[in-house]
């Protein structure tokens, strides 16, 4: 059963109505929760690792590849990690054996880095029974739980997943420009302070350094504790309020739309309801363009 769509005008979710972190539809579950349920019918485990962790020969038993650098990005788009069209996303999910009635847990090899992107994409396609594994593979192994010496893989039957897109969870540059001009909204950039200020080079060629004028910096790592686990809801709320002036309409950006979703996860856990991720992020905004101004410094 899907949870109802949030009402963007309703403000923060009361504590009594916030999703239970141990509920099977997320948004966050711990290693112990997963260990007690792994292998049960209807529980699908996705490895959404990217970069050096992508395809690594170490997976939580039974994990399937949610390949953000492969089938689960639109490679015809100019920006990396662009969300595929609904039909292509649904086809990829069916190829991974996902059914509409399944429960999904997503993790990645870095901790909580790219797994949140997979969770947000599923949510944007109308699938609510998904959660991120708190701390990812490092937390799983730190708990002494088993790891298979094989990359994530799937060779079973196709699933019945149905895409039901939710407009507004992934937004474009025009929507971000509108948010920058909206006194009730704030754009948060999940990149490092050095990249935000333009004192460190961008890892992708051809991009300008700096940030969107009016955006604020909240590096995604600030939402995690030293063990790589997400902060508790009150800590997350404090982290956001420190940079948002208590605004409730939040828009998230990063380098390519991946770690912006860590901010989206943190905001959801903290009770924010009016949230969206800029899909193109700095990979689009940072390209030379008179329509997308850039500022440097704090």
């Amino acid at each position: 059963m899907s949870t109802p769509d949030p009402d963007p005008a309703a403000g923060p979710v009361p504590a009594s109505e916030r999703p239970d972190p141990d509920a099977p539809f997320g948004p966050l579950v711990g290693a112990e929760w997963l260990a007690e349920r792994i292998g049960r019918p209807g529980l699908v485990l996705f490895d959404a690792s990217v970069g050096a962790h992508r395809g690594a020969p170490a997976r939580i038993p039974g994990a399937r590849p949610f390949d953000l650098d492969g089938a689960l990005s639109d490679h015809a788009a100019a920006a990396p990690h662009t969300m595929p069209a609904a039909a292509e996303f649904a086809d990829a999910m069916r190829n991974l054996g996902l059914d509409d009635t399944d429960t999904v847990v997503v993790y990645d090899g870095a901790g909580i880095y790219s797994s949140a992107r997979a969770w947000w994409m599923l949510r944007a396609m109308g699938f609510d029974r998904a959660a991120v594994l708190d701390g990812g593979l490092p937390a799983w192994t730190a708990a002494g739980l088993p790891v298979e010496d094989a990359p994530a893989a799937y060779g079973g039957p196709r699933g019945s997943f149905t895409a039901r897109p939710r407009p507004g969870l992934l937004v474009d540059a025009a929507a971000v420009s509108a948010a920058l001009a909206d006194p009730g909204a704030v754009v948060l950039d999940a990149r490092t302070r050095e990249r935000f200020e333009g004192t460190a080079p961008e890892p992708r060629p051809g991009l300008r350094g700096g940030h969107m004028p009016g955006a604020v910096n909240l590096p995604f790592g600030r939402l995690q504790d030293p063990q790589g686990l997400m902060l508790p809801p009150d800590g997350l709320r404090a982290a956001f309020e420190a940079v948002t002036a208590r605004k409730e309409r939040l828009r998230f950006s990063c380098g390519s739309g991946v770690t912006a979703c860590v901010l989206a996860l943190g905001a959801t856990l903290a009770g924010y309801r009016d949230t969206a991720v800029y899909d193109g992020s700095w990979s689009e905004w940072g390209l030379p363009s008179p329509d997308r101004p850039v500022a440097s410094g704090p």
Side-chain angles (χ1 to χ4, degrees):
M1 175 182 291
S2 294
T3 56
D5 286 339
D7 177 4
V13 182
S16 61
E17 299 179 16
R18 292 176 191 165
D20 180 351
D22 287 330
F25 47 84
L28 193 69
V29 297
E32 290 185 5
W33 185 97
L34 179 59
E36 291 172 358
R37 295 162 177 82
I38 196 167
R40 291 185 185 179
L43 178 64
V44 174
L45 185 60
F46 284 135
D47 182 337
S49 300
V50 296
H53 298 282
R54 180 191 183 209
R59 68 168 181 173
I60 298 176
R64 309 174 190 181
F66 195 105
D67 192 1
L68 291 166
D69 288 325
L72 285 158
S73 289
D74 180 1
H75 296 280
H81 301 131
T82 297
M83 180 77 177
E88 283 71 26
F89 184 86
D91 187 58
M93 290 294 95
R94 292 170 188 165
N95 284 341
L96 290 169
L98 184 63
D99 294 326
D100 288 331
T101 56
D102 286 335
T103 294
V104 168
V105 175
V106 188
Y107 74 91
D108 68 73
I112 298 183
Y113 182 80
S114 48
S115 50
R117 171 71 180 184
W119 166 76
W120 192 256
M121 291 169 70
L122 285 162
R123 188 166 179 254
M125 285 294 170
F127 189 89
D128 287 313
R129 297 185 63 84
V132 172
L133 177 62
D134 199 7
L137 184 60
W140 179 267
T141 56
L145 295 165
V147 175
E148 293 180 335
D149 187 19
Y154 180 71
R158 275 173 62 87
S160 61
F161 176 84
T162 305
R164 299 177 176 89
R166 287 177 171 142
L169 292 189
L170 289 164
V171 297
D172 60 13
V176 172
S177 294
L180 291 166
D182 182 350
V186 59
V187 176
L188 297 97
D189 191 321
R191 295 176 301 155
T192 64
R193 178 179 58 84
E194 292 79 10
R195 288 175 65 189
F196 180 85
E197 294 181 355
T199 59
E202 284 297 307
R204 297 176 180 88
L207 298 181
R208 296 170 291 173
H211 59 271
M212 306 167 200
V216 299
N217 188 210
L218 182 59
F220 74 93
R222 292 186 189 171
L223 302 187
Q224 300 172 20
D225 69 14
Q227 287 71 47
L229 304 175
M230 294 296 288
L231 298 175
D234 57 348
L236 292 167
R237 172 63 74 160
F240 283 107
E241 290 185 349
V243 296
T244 62
R246 298 182 179 269
K247 296 175 183 178
E248 297 290 330
R249 191 155 51 251
L250 309 183
R251 303 295 179 257
F252 308 114
S253 181
C254 61
S256 65
V258 172
T259 58
C261 297
V262 179
L263 299 190
L265 173 63
T268 301
L269 292 166
Y272 291 93
R273 302 181 73 171
D274 190 350
T275 59
V277 169
Y278 176 21
D279 203 23
S281 283
W282 199 253
S283 293
E284 179 181 56
W285 193 281
L287 291 170
S289 171
D291 299 324
R292 297 189 291 269
V294 169
S296 58

